[in-house]
Each structure stands twice: as C-alpha cells, then as structure tokens.
Amino acid sequence: DGGITQSPKYLFRKEGQNVTLSCEQNLNHDAMYWYRQDPGQGLRLIYYSQIVNDFQKGDIAEGYSVSREKKESFPLTVTSAQKNPTAFYLCASSIGQGTPLGEQFFGPGTRLTVL
Amino acid sequence: KQEVTQIPAALSVPEGENLVLNCSFTDSAIYNLQWFRQDPGKGLTSLLLIQSSQREQTSGRLNASLDKSSGRSTLYIAASQPGDSATYLCAAVMDSNYQLIWGAGTKLIIKP
C-alpha cells in the first residue's frame, strides 16, 4: 500500500538533546513537508522540500533542521535550540514540483515530549 | 495578513442530523481549498479538494462548496454518524504566494 510512514510514534527528549524524526513516503511524490501542531492551533509549516537536495524554511524553522538526500525520505531534526519542542509533528507529501498546489497526504504523526 | 478561520471551534449534534462546518478566508484569491479529517492522536486524512474554478465537490455523504466572492467554504455532512466524530480542518492555497494557510479546526462530536 502506498502511503507515508513516520517514526517513532512517541518520542521523549531530554533538555539539550537533539532528536530526529523519520518520514518516509512511497507515493513517488516530489514535495514533502513538516508541520507542527499545537492544541487549539492550526498547523504551522516548519520546512518543505520540492525536490531532492533542496528545501526551504517555513514559518517556524528556528531550532529545526532537515535533509532531503532521497526522494522518499525527509527527516526532521529537533535541535537543542528549539526552546519549546513539545508538540505533535506531522509529515506530508504532495505530487509535483514548484509550489504546494497539489492535494496533501499526511503521515500518522510523531508526538514529541520534552522531559 | 491572510487568515483562515473555522467557527465554531467545537460542535455537538445528535446522530442522524445533517450539519454544516464553516471555513472563512480573508483573501478571495485562492488557488484551491482542502478539507481534512483528524482523529485524536492521528494524522490528517484528506476528504475533499476544491479548485478555485469549482463550486463544489462531493464524496459519499460529504459535500464541500466554495464561494470565493464571500470568502467562504462549507463542508456539509449528511445523516451524521458517531464515526464522523473528529476534528475537521480546512486549508487554502493562496494565489499570491502559493502558501497553504490552515484553519484551527472544528471539533465535531456526534452523539448516539
């Protein structure tokens, strides 16, 4: 079955630690996205990538980093510089390059908690 | 500032009722609008995508409409069921910058 997988489902981070969230898709989509979701708020875009080896900052990129070495994979690293990382993180993909014009498909999410 | 608003934030109705969820946007120059469903602790499931040239889209008991002139989209759910209980989010892609702007969602509870 085609889809997007995220791992782990739950992640706990100690103060000062960097952690990496995995996102893999087998939909053959060019574009991939990372969102953060906080209670009662809309999704906020962290980073997006329209093609392999290229990515752009979203609205709240500070304290996060990404890489796009393969079309299928778009891992997100939450660094110690992110002061309030506790949130639900969602990865998405869409077909086509250039702009987020296409229908977005989402993974199941990773809940990150800072201890 | 471009904004997407969903009111109310929560809605509770008896099973079997037809209901309408609202999504308002401040900039009428949208490229498309998408409705999603999110179950607690889960990712988002795409329900319907409406292009700016379309007036409505239908999928089963769901019908989404788009009125750019009034800056409004509605999601109509017919014959609601307890399994429809979830948070429903809308997101609009703006013509000006192709950014995807999200609403905060409406939490829907269908009472058996």
Side-chain angles (χ1 to χ4, degrees):
Chain A
D1 287 325
I4 303 175
T5 57
Q6 290 185 241
S7 62
K9 185 173 181 179
Y10 299 98
L11 185 58
F12 298 91
R13 192 192 93 166
K14 294 181 180 180
E15 294 283 348
Q17 239 182 4
N18 292 352
V19 292
T20 297
L21 285 61
S22 169
C23 178
E24 304 276 334
Q25 55 98 0
N26 60 5
L27 300 169
N28 200 33
H29 286 171
D30 288 303
M32 297 186 74
Y33 314 82
W34 274 106
Y35 293 95
R36 170 179 172 143
Q37 187 177 36
D38 294 283
Q41 298 188 32
L43 274 69
R44 292 185 288 171
L45 183 64
I46 304 172
Y47 270 97
Y48 65 101
S49 168
Q50 296 167 346
I51 197 170
V52 174
N53 292 322
D54 186 52
F55 48 83
Q56 287 79 40
K57 292 182 179 180
D59 300 320
I60 54 166
E62 185 176 351
Y64 300 97
S65 65
V66 293
S67 63
R68 185 85 187 275
E69 297 176 1
K70 298 187 299 182
K71 187 175 185 178
E72 303 79 19
S73 178
F74 191 41
L76 173 73
T77 296
V78 184
T79 74
S80 56
Q82 171 50 239
K83 298 306 178 187
N84 184 24
T86 295
F88 191 50
Y89 290 87
L90 289 159
C91 178
S93 70
S94 66
I95 197 167
Q97 301 177 23
T99 52
L101 304 180
E103 186 175 7
Q104 295 217 336
F105 296 87
F106 281 79
T110 293
R111 185 164 300 281
L112 173 62
T113 303
V114 174
L115 300 175
Chain B
K1 180 184 175 183
Q2 297 163 331
E3 290 184 349
V4 173
T5 304
Q6 294 184 250
I7 296 174
L11 180 63
S12 180
V13 301
E15 178 179 6
E17 282 197 6
N18 302 326
L19 59 99
V20 172
L21 304 180
N22 296 301
C23 174
S24 300
F25 41 92
T26 54
D27 187 346
S28 62
I30 69 169
Y31 187 86
N32 64 40
L33 188 140
Q34 196 169 355
W35 282 93
F36 296 87
R37 168 188 172 134
Q38 185 177 30
D39 293 288
K42 305 290 186 182
L44 277 66
T45 300
S46 177
L47 298 174
L48 291 163
L49 171 68
I50 310 177
Q51 301 292 347
S52 63
S53 58
Q54 298 173 320
R55 295 281 297 181
E56 63 180 48
Q57 283 278 20
T58 298
S59 176
R61 293 184 294 109
L62 305 179
N63 176 278
S65 68
L66 177 63
D67 184 345
K68 293 196 299 179
S69 62
S70 66
R72 187 178 178 211
S73 175
T74 61
L75 179 67
Y76 175 83
I77 302 177
S80 59
Q81 304 169 357
D84 294 329
S85 298
T87 296
Y88 291 80
L89 297 100
C90 66
V93 175
M94 300 302 176
D95 263 343
S96 57
N97 55 15
Y98 294 129
Q99 292 294 309
L100 192 61
I101 311 297
W102 289 86
T106 294
K107 183 176 182 179
L108 176 65
I109 298 173
I110 307 297
K111 297 175 289 186

